[in-house]
Amino acid sequence: MAEQSAVAFIEEWQTGAFFVVLSVVAGALSVIGLDSVLPSSPAVLLSVFVAGTVAAFVGSSFVLYGR
């Protein structure tokens, strides 16, 4: 296996960190956006947050890396 350069490793790490931050923000925005139609139950809010986070991560990964 070929060694990665330090610059390539840092760029890859930054891309992963960006995906995580983007996903968490999208999950929070999905809770905020759907707040008026959701019940105030913490379980419902948490499930919407998790679903929004996973959907944003999968979508952004698909856009960047393709199939």
Side-chain angles (χ1 to χ4, degrees):
M1 189 160 105
E3 287 289 321
Q4 269 187 331
S5 70
V7 173
F9 175 76
I10 291 172
E11 286 176 354
E12 190 173 316
W13 185 88
Q14 286 175 336
T15 303
F18 175 73
F19 278 162
V20 170
V21 170
L22 175 72
S23 299
V24 169
V25 168
L29 288 177
S30 64
V31 169
I32 292 169
L34 294 173
D35 190 36
S36 62
V37 296
L38 293 175
S40 313
S41 168
V44 171
L45 296 177
L46 180 63
S47 64
V48 168
F49 174 76
V50 169
T53 301
V54 169
F57 184 81
V58 169
S60 61
S61 296
F62 181 77
V63 167
L64 186 63
Y65 296 114
R67 296 180 199 215

